[in-house]
C-alpha cells in the first residue's frame, strides 16, 4: 500500500477504524481535537458511532458499556481530561475489559497549558486510577507509529483484556508525515464473557469489579498480575539506535526521541560514543535492554518533557549502577538538540568517574 | 393450576435487602415486565452503586455493574453497541440524582433509547443512612442530624419534574410501592417504560418512591405509612411527561 500524508491524530483515528473500532466516545479538549473531529466525520459514513459525551467521565463509562458488549471502542483526551477518566480506567481494570485510551499530553499540573508535554508519565505508567492494576502504555514517535501502535493497541487490549494507552503529545499529534496504513491481518478475539443477552442459552454474564470477600478479591488481583507477567515477557518494545559501541546511553521516547536522535548524530560527528534506547512501551518498560546497556555505558541521559519522571524507571532498570542525568524542558517547551548535546558533553566528563 | 410463581427473570439467589425494604418488590416488577415482554434473554441490566449494587445477582439476565452515578453512560455504551438489545439501569437517589446527575440529564437529553428505574427512598441506604439529594426538608439522617436545613444544604431534587423540561425525554412517571394499588400502577408504568424501548421511542424513567425502614428508623409498616404522609405529598405520583400522549390512566 502506498503512503499518504496525514496528521498524527488523524492517522491514529484512521488506524483505529481499520482495527475495527466503530464506537468512539469523547469530549472536546485541546490538543486532541483532531481525533474527535476525524471520528465525527468518518463514523457516520461507515455505520459507526461517534458520540460527544457530556463529560470525560461519561465518555469513559460509555467505553465501558461498549467494551462490555464485546465491541472494540476507544476514547481520547488530553491531560486534564485523562485525570477525569481515571475513575473509569480503574473500573475497566477491575472488570478486565479491553479499551484503547489516547492521551495527547499537554503541560500541567491543573489546567496547565496546551503545548506539548510528557508530564503525565507517572500517571500513565504508575497510577492511572485507584487500585492494583497495570495498563500497557505505547509511546509513538512518528505519525507512522501513531497509526501502527494504535492498530496494535486494539489487539493487545483484546488479548490481555486490559486498557492500552497511547501516550503522545501535541507535536506528534499535529505534525504531518507520510504514513502507510497497511497493518496486515485483523485479529478478532472471542469474547464469550460479553454482556449481549443470554438468549436462555447460557447463564447470565456478569461484568463487575465488586468483590466483598477479601480472599476472592485477592485471587482476582493475583490472576491479573499473572497476566501482567505475560505482558512483561512478551510485549516489551523499544528501538536501539547506534548502541553498538556506545559509552553514553540516551533514553527518550516520543518527540524527545526525535530531538535526541539528532543530538546523538551530532555527538557521533564529534567523535563521542553515544547511542539511544527509545522505549516504545513505557509499560512494560524495557528494563532488560537498559540493564545490559549499563554494562558498557558509563552514563545515562534521560531526555524528557517532564521533571525527570522517567529517570526513576531508568535508575531502577539499571539498579542505580550508573549515573542518570536528565535533560528536561517542561510546561510546553521542547528540548533543543543543542541542549541535549550540552547534556551529553556533561555526561562525557563523567566517563572517568563512573568506575 | 399455578396462579403465582417467581418470574424466571429473577435468579434463586437470596436477596440481601433489609426486612421491609421495597427493593425486592421493585426487582420483581422489573422481572415481571421483562418476562411479559419476552425480552429477558436479550436484556442487559446495569446495576448502580448503592443498596442495589448486587442487583446483578438477582436479575436473571446479563448484567454490568457501573461506577457510582455512571449507569446511564454505561447503558449508553451498551445500547449504542447493540441497539437491538434491551438495556436498563436500576439506580438509587444518591446514584442518579447526586453523583450521576449529569449522566441522568444528558442521557435523557440525547433521548437515549433505554429504560431507567429510579428508586427514591430519600436516603443513602448502603452507607448507613446519610442525607440524599432527595431527603425531605427537615428529615433527620446521619449527616443531617438536626434535620435537613434547606437554608444551608438546599432543597431536594425532584427528578421527574426536572426531566420533564428536557426535550429528549420520552416518558417520565413517578409511582410508589407502599400498597397494593400503588404496586399495580408501578407495574404498569415499568412495563410501559420497557415497551417504549422495544418500540424505539426513547428515554423512559420510572421514579419509584420506596421505603428504607432501617435508615428511617421505623418499622416496615410505619415506613410504608410515612411514604403516604411525607414522601408522596412532596413527590406527587403521576405521569410527568408522555411524548407520545398515550399515558394509561
Amino acid at each position: 500500500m502506498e503512503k499518504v500524508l496525514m496528521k498524527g491524530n488523524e492517522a491514529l483515528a484512521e488506524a483505529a477504524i481499520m482495527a475495527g473500532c466503530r464506537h468512539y466516545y469523547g469530549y472536546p479538549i485541546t490538543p486532541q481535537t483532531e481525533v474527535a473531529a476525524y471520528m465525527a466525520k468518518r463514523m457516520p459514513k461507515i455505520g459507526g458511532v461517534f458520540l460527544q459525551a457530556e463529560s470525560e467521565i461519561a465518555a469513559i463509562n460509555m467505553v465501558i458499556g461498549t467494551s462490555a458488549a464485546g465491541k472494540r471502542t476507544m476514547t481520547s483526551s488530553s491531560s486534564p481530561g485523562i485525570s477525569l477518566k481515571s475513575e473509569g480506567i480503574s473500573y475497566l481494570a477491575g472488570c478486565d475489559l479491553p479499551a484503547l485510551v489516547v492521551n495527547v499530553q499537554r503541560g500541567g499540573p491543573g489546567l496547565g497549558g496546551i503545548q506539548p508535554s510528557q508530564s503525565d508519565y507517572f500517571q500513565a505508567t504508575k497510577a492511572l486510577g485507584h487500585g492494583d492494576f497495570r495498563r500497557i502504555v505505547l509511546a509513538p514517535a512518528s505519525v507512522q507509529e501513531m497509526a501502527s501502535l494504535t492498530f496494535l493497541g486494539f489487539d493487545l487490549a483484546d488479548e490481555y483484556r486490559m486498557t492500552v494507552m497511547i501516550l503522545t503529545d501535541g507535536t506528534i499529534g499535529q505534525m504531518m508525515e507520510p504514513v502507510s496504513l497497511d497493518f496486515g491481518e485483523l485479529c478478532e478475539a472471542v469474547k464469550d464473557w460479553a454482556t449481549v443477552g443470554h438468549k436462555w442459552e447460557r447463564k447470565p454474564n456478569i461484568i463487575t469489579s465488586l468483590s466483598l470477600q477479601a480472599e476472592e478479591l485477592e485471587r482476582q488481583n493475583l490472576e491479573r498480575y499473572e497476566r501482567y507477567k505475560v505482558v512483561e515477557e512478551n510485549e516489551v518494545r523499544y528501538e536501539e539506535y547506534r548502541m553498538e559501541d556506545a559509552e553514553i546511553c540516551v533514553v527518550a521516547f516520543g518527540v524527545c526521541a526525535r530531538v535526541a536522535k539528532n543530538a546523538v548524530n551530532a555527538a557521533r560527528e564529534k567523535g563521542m560514543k553515544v547511542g539511544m534506547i527509545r522505549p516504545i512501551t513505557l509499560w512494560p518498560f524495557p528494563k532488560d535492554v537498559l540493564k545490559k546497556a549499563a554494562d558498557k555505558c558509563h552514563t545515562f541521559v534521560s531526555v524528557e518533557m517532564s521533571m525527570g519522571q522517567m529517570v526513576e524507571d531508568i535508575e531502577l532498570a539499571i539498579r542505580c549502577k550508573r549515573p542518570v542525568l536528565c535533560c528536561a524542558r517542561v510546561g510546553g517547551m521542547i528540548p533543543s538538540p543543542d541542549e541535549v548535546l550540552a547534556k551529553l558533553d556533561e555526561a562525557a566528563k563523567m566517563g572517568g568517574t563512573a568506575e | 393450576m399455578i396462579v403465582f410463581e417467581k418470574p424466571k427473570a429473577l435468579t434463586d439467589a437470596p436477596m440481601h435487602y433489609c426486612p421491609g425494604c421495597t427493593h425486592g418488590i421493585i426487582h420483581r416488577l422489573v422481572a415481571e415486565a421483562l418476562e411479559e415482554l419476552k425480552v429477558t434473554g436479550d436484556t442487559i441490566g446495569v446495576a448502580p452503586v448503592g443498596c442495589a449494587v448486587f442487583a446483578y445477582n438477582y436479575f436473571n439476565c446479563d448484567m454490568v455493574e457501573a461506577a457510582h452515578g455512571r449507569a446511564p453512560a454505561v447503558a449508553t455504551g451498551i445500547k449504542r453497541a447493540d441497539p437491538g438489545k434491551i438495556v436498563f439501569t436500576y439506580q438509587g437517589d444518591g446514584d442518579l440524582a447526586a453523583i450521576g446527575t449529569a449522566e441522568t440529564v444528558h442521557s435523557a437529553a440525547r433521548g437515549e433509547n433505554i429504560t431507567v428505574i429510579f428508586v427514591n427512598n430519600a436516603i443513602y441506604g448502603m452507607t448507613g443512612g446519610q442525607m440524599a439529594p432527595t431527603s425531605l426538608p427537615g428529615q433527620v439522617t446521619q449527616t443531617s442530624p438536626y434535620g435537613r436545613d434547606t437554608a444551608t444544604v438546599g432543597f431536594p431534587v425532584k427528578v421527574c419534574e426536572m426531566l420533564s423540561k428536557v426535550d429528549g425525554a420520552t416518558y417520565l412517571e413517578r409511582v410508589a410501592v407502599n400498597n397494593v394499588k400503588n404496586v399495580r400502577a408501578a407495574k404498569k408504568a415499568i412495563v410501559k417504560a420497557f415497551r417504549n424501548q422495544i418500540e424505539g421511542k426513547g428515554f423512559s424513567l420510572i421514579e419509584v418512591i420506596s421505603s428504607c425502614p432501617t435508615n428511617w428508623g421505623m418499622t416496615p409498616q410505619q415506613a410504608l405509612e410515612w411514604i403516604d404522609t411525607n414522601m408522596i405529598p412532596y413527590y406527587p405520583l403521576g405521569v410527568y411527561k408522555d411524548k407520545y400522549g398515550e399515558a394509561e390512566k
Side-chain angles (χ1 to χ4, degrees), chain A residues 63-106:
Chain A
V63 164
I64 289 174
T66 294
S67 180
K71 300 276 172 71
R72 285 190 165 182
T73 179
M74 67 175 287
T75 184
S76 62
S77 190
S78 181
S79 310
I82 296 295
S83 293
L84 287 168
K85 288 188 198 298
S86 65
E87 175 197 64
I89 293 170
S90 172
Y91 277 73
L92 280 164
C95 295
D96 296 310
L97 289 171
L100 190 95
V101 177
V102 179
N103 182 1
V104 186
Q105 296 168 94
R106 56 191 252 184

Side-chain angles (χ1 to χ4, degrees), chain B residues 195-224:
Chain B
R195 192 178 292 126
N196 282 345
Q197 185 180 164
I198 294 167
E199 293 171 359
K201 287 180 175 166
F203 184 89
S204 297
L205 178 146
I206 306 301
E207 175 174 347
V208 187
I209 302 297
S210 182
S211 70
C212 183
T214 300
N215 290 303
W216 290 355
M218 298 177 195
T219 65
Q221 185 59 34
Q222 286 169 337
L224 296 179

Side-chain angles (χ1 to χ4, degrees), chain A residues 169-210:
Chain A
D169 62 70
T171 319
I172 305 286
Q174 298 186 337
M175 67 166 62
M176 288 185 92
E177 280 181 332
V179 53
S180 157
L181 294 172
D182 186 6
F183 306 114
E185 291 286 297
L186 188 63
C187 301
E188 285 282 9
V190 177
K191 298 180 176 176
D192 52 9
W193 44 263
T195 49
V196 292
H198 55 53
K199 301 260 180 207
W200 296 111
E201 289 161 1
R202 55 162 170 77
K203 283 189 175 161
N205 281 342
I206 295 169
I207 291 175
T208 178
S209 59
L210 179 65

Side-chain angles (χ1 to χ4, degrees), chain A residues 11-298:
Chain A
L12 179 152
E14 187 56 33
I17 289 168
M18 293 183 75
C21 172
R22 290 292 178 277
H23 293 81
Y24 171 92
Y25 305 98
Y27 186 88
I29 183 168
T30 307
Q32 63 80 51
T33 310
E34 289 91 356
V35 182
Y38 192 88
M39 291 301 198
K41 233 188 228 175
R42 283 279 279 137
M43 282 300 193
K45 307 271 186 205
I46 53 172
V49 172
F50 163 84
L51 190 57
Q52 183 170 318
E54 62 270 28
S55 68
E56 302 283 7
I57 298 169
I60 191 73
N61 279 281
M62 291 171 187
V63 164
I64 289 174
T66 294
S67 180
K71 300 276 172 71
R72 285 190 165 182
T73 179
M74 67 175 287
T75 184
S76 62
S77 190
S78 181
S79 310
I82 296 295
S83 293
L84 287 168
K85 288 188 198 298
S86 65
E87 175 197 64
I89 293 170
S90 172
Y91 277 73
L92 280 164
C95 295
D96 296 310
L97 289 171
L100 190 95
V101 177
V102 179
N103 182 1
V104 186
Q105 296 168 94
R106 56 191 252 184
L111 204 46
I114 57 170
Q115 301 297 325
S117 167
Q118 296 178 330
S119 55
D120 302 341
Y121 181 92
F122 276 160
Q123 184 195 43
T125 59
K126 318 284 182 205
L128 197 46
H130 61 281
D132 262 324
F133 73 97
R134 293 288 190 177
R135 83 299 318 154
I136 295 171
V137 184
L138 303 174
S142 63
V143 175
Q144 181 62 58
E145 282 190 347
M146 285 288 264
S148 46
L149 292 179
T150 297
F151 192 88
L152 171 73
F154 278 102
D155 284 349
L156 296 178
D158 274 356
E159 185 173 350
Y160 298 106
R161 287 182 67 176
M162 61 193 289
T163 294
V164 172
M165 170 167 276
I166 305 287
L167 190 71
T168 183
D169 62 70
T171 319
I172 305 286
Q174 298 186 337
M175 67 166 62
M176 288 185 92
E177 280 181 332
V179 53
S180 157
L181 294 172
D182 186 6
F183 306 114
E185 291 286 297
L186 188 63
C187 301
E188 285 282 9
V190 177
K191 298 180 176 176
D192 52 9
W193 44 263
T195 49
V196 292
H198 55 53
K199 301 260 180 207
W200 296 111
E201 289 161 1
R202 55 162 170 77
K203 283 189 175 161
N205 281 342
I206 295 169
I207 291 175
T208 178
S209 59
L210 179 65
S211 196
L212 292 181
Q213 300 296 325
E215 296 88 344
E216 171 57 19
L217 187 54
E218 183 185 50
R219 191 198 61 72
Q220 289 171 12
N221 274 276
L222 294 175
E223 183 280 324
R224 215 163 276 135
Y225 271 76
E226 282 302 312
R227 220 171 335 131
Y228 296 159
K229 220 186 273 173
V230 180
V231 176
E232 287 186 278
E233 277 162 19
N234 295 344
E235 307 301 345
V236 174
R237 285 170 172 80
Y238 56 85
E239 178 196 356
E240 281 185 284
Y241 184 71
R242 303 187 87 163
M243 281 298 291
E244 316 80 51
D245 59 345
E247 291 168 359
I248 297 169
C249 176
V250 173
V251 186
F253 68 93
V255 70
C256 283
R258 297 172 72 109
V259 175
K261 205 175 246 185
N262 288 335
V264 167
N265 289 339
R268 283 277 176 181
E269 272 170 33
K270 283 170 49 177
M272 298 164 69
K273 291 184 173 175
V274 182
M276 178 173 75
I277 293 173
R278 173 173 75 91
I280 296 172
T281 50
L282 295 176
W283 194 89
F285 196 67
K287 285 186 270 192
D288 292 346
V289 68
L290 285 164
K291 194 163 167 241
K292 232 171 67 196
D295 292 339
K296 289 184 192 156
C297 300
H298 60 72

Side-chain angles (χ1 to χ4, degrees), chain B residues 110-123:
Chain B
R110 286 193 302 271
E112 213 59 63
N113 190 26
I114 59 172
T115 302
V116 175
I117 307 298
F118 166 39
V119 179
N120 178 1
N121 61 7
I123 204 146

